[in-house]
Amino acid sequence: MAYESVRERPHAPFAEMGRREAAEHARWFASTVGERVGSLRSYALAHGCGGPLDLSRESLLPLWSWFLGRSEVARPPGGGPGRLSGESAALARDINVYLCEAVRSAAWGRLSWGCVPGPRSHADANRPALLGFAWDLSMAGDGGEALLGGDREPDPGMLVDVFAHRLSQVPGPGPWRPWGHWGVPLGRDLADTPALEGRLDDLLHRMGDPEAGEEALWTSSEDSRSWRAHREAEARGLRQEACLAAAGRLASAHPGRRWRDYRRAAYVLMGHLLPRRASEAHVSLYLGRLAEETDREVLMCLLDGMEDVPAPAGEDPSAVVRMAREGRGQLAMCATAALGSFDCDEARAELRRRASEPVGNRNVYEVERAVEGLGKVGLAGDLALVEGVAKTRRRDLRGVARRAADFIRNRALGE
C-alpha cells in the first residue's frame, strides 16, 4: 500500500509570493497538519514502526529509524547530492510536520503556525513555519528534503537532536530558571518525576507572573499569560496524586516574600486538585503548609483550597482556629470557612461562637461562613442555633442558614 499524504495545494514559487498569498497558503497548510500527522501515524504503525507515535520526544527515535530503513535516495547521473524519491519524499515531508508538532506540543503554547516574513532572499521566506522562537528564528513546516540533504551519513538520533536544539531556542518564562525540564511532554507514564516538576514549575511561574511593559498595553486581562495559565491549571488532565506532591515540594522550595506569588499559585493549583479523590496523606501535606506560611495573602489562598475538602481524622485545627479568632477581614472569613473541613469539637466550638455573634455589617460574612461550616460538621444540638440565624432579615444569610439546617437534619436522620 503506497503512502497517501495530503494533496499539495498549487501555488506560486515562495520567492515570488506576495504577503497575502503567503498568509493564505500558511493558513491552508496549518489546517492540514492534523491530517498529515494522523496519516503518518496510521501508515507507520501499520508498516512496522514501534509506537506509540504520541508527539513525544521518545517517539522520534523509533520513527526516524523506521524511515531510514525504508527510504530511497535517487542519485543523479554523474554524482551530486541525492534526492528522496516517490513515497520517501512524501513520508519525509510529513515526518517534518510531525517533528514540528512535537516541538510545538512540548513548548506549551509558546509557538504557533504562521509564515516566515521577508526578505525574499531568506531561504524560508513565505513558507509555512513554526514561529515564536527567540532570535527571530523559525522552523519550516513544509520541508523534508533537508532532513536527508546532501551525502550525510543517516543518523537515527537526528530528529531527537533537532528536537532538543529547537526547544533550547523557545523563550522561557523568565530569567529565574534555566533550561532543563523542557522537551518531555506531560504524560501518564511520567508520574512523580523531575519532568513533571519542571512542567508544574513553568505553570506556576506563569500563573504568578502577569505581563509587564509593552506587552501589557495590547493584552487584555482575559488573554494575559497569567489568566491563560490559571485556566490551564483548572482544565489540564493532571494526575492528582503526583501533582499534589510535586506542587507541595515546589512551594516548600520557594520560601520568602520574593516567591509569595509563586506559592500562591501552587496553593491555587493544589486547591483545584484536592477535591478530586486526594488521599488523606495529600490533604495532610496541604494542611502542613499552614505552619510554614506567614504572609496574609498566601494564607488566604491556602485556606480557600481547604473549603471543600474534609480534613483527615485527628488533624489538628488549632492553627485555623487561631486565624479565625485573631485574623481580620478576609483572612478571618477564609479561616472560618476552612473550619467546616474539621469534624472535631475544637472546630465546632469556634464555628458556634462565630455563628452566635450579633450580625452586623462588619461580620455578616464571617457569620455566614460559620453557619455554612456548621451545616457540614454540626451536630443535632446545633440545629437550634442555625434555625435561630435563619430568622434574620438578611436574605443571603437566611438562605445559607436554612440549607445548613436541612443538612444537619438529614445527617441526624441518617444516624
Side-chain angles (χ1 to χ4, degrees), residues 49 60 66 81 100 146 156 167 178 209 213 237 257 260 269 292 304 379:
C49 177
L60 297 175
W66 169 81
C100 289
L167 282 180
D209 179 44
R257 184 176 180 83
R260 64 177 183 176
L269 175 62
E292 306 296 326
D304 280 343
L379 304 177

Side-chain angles (χ1 to χ4, degrees), residues 22-37:
E24 289 178 357
H25 181 72
R27 280 194 290 270
W28 168 82
F29 186 88
S31 71
T32 69
V33 165
E35 184 179 351
R36 291 173 187 270
V37 171

Side-chain angles (χ1 to χ4, degrees), residues 57-213:
R57 177 182 182 275
E58 290 73 20
S59 69
L60 297 175
L61 184 61
L63 175 62
W64 191 240
S65 300
W66 169 81
F67 174 74
L68 291 177
R70 62 186 295 118
S71 61
E72 299 177 0
V73 180
R75 303 285 177 182
R83 296 180 62 85
L84 293 170
S85 61
E87 180 183 77
S88 298
L91 282 170
R93 283 194 295 271
D94 286 355
I95 288 175
N96 187 71
V97 172
Y98 182 95
L99 174 62
C100 289
E101 278 293 281
V103 172
R104 191 174 75 90
S105 174
W108 266 41
R110 300 178 193 277
L111 305 177
S112 59
W113 285 101
C115 61
V116 179
R120 294 187 181 183
S121 59
H122 192 284
D124 292 331
N126 295 328
R127 288 182 177 275
L130 278 185
L131 306 178
F133 295 98
W135 311 301
D136 294 327
L137 297 177
S138 60
M139 188 174 182
D142 65 339
E145 278 301 320
L147 295 177
L148 273 179
D151 292 318
R152 292 176 299 178
E153 285 292 324
D155 178 10
M158 188 186 69
L159 288 192
V160 177
D161 292 342
V162 174
F163 179 90
H165 177 63
R166 285 299 186 177
L167 282 180
S168 71
Q169 299 167 337
V170 177
W176 49 74
R177 63 180 285 266
W179 296 107
H181 294 304
W182 286 95
V184 185
L186 182 64
R188 293 184 178 180
D189 58 327
L190 292 179
D192 197 2
T193 65
L196 175 58
E197 284 198 13
R199 283 306 181 86
L200 292 181
D201 179 45
D202 172 62
L203 178 60
L204 297 179
H205 274 300
R206 286 186 284 125
M207 288 172 70
D209 179 44
E211 283 85 354

Side-chain angles (χ1 to χ4, degrees), residues 275-312:
R276 304 175 187 173
R277 302 184 302 278
S279 67
E280 289 191 355
H282 289 121
V283 178
S284 296
L285 179 149
Y286 184 80
L287 294 174
R289 298 299 306 159
L290 284 168
E292 306 296 326
E293 297 293 349
T294 57
D295 187 276
R296 174 187 174 88
E297 299 292 329
V298 179
L299 283 169
M300 286 193 293
C301 275
L302 258 172
L303 295 167
D304 280 343
M306 295 168 52
E307 191 170 346
D308 297 319
V309 183

Side-chain angles (χ1 to χ4, degrees), residues 374 378-390 401-402 404-410 412:
L374 284 175
L379 304 177
D382 299 316
L383 187 58
L385 171 61
V386 174
E387 287 179 335
V389 178
R402 288 173 177 172
D406 289 340
F407 289 143
I408 295 173
R409 287 193 201 95
N410 290 337

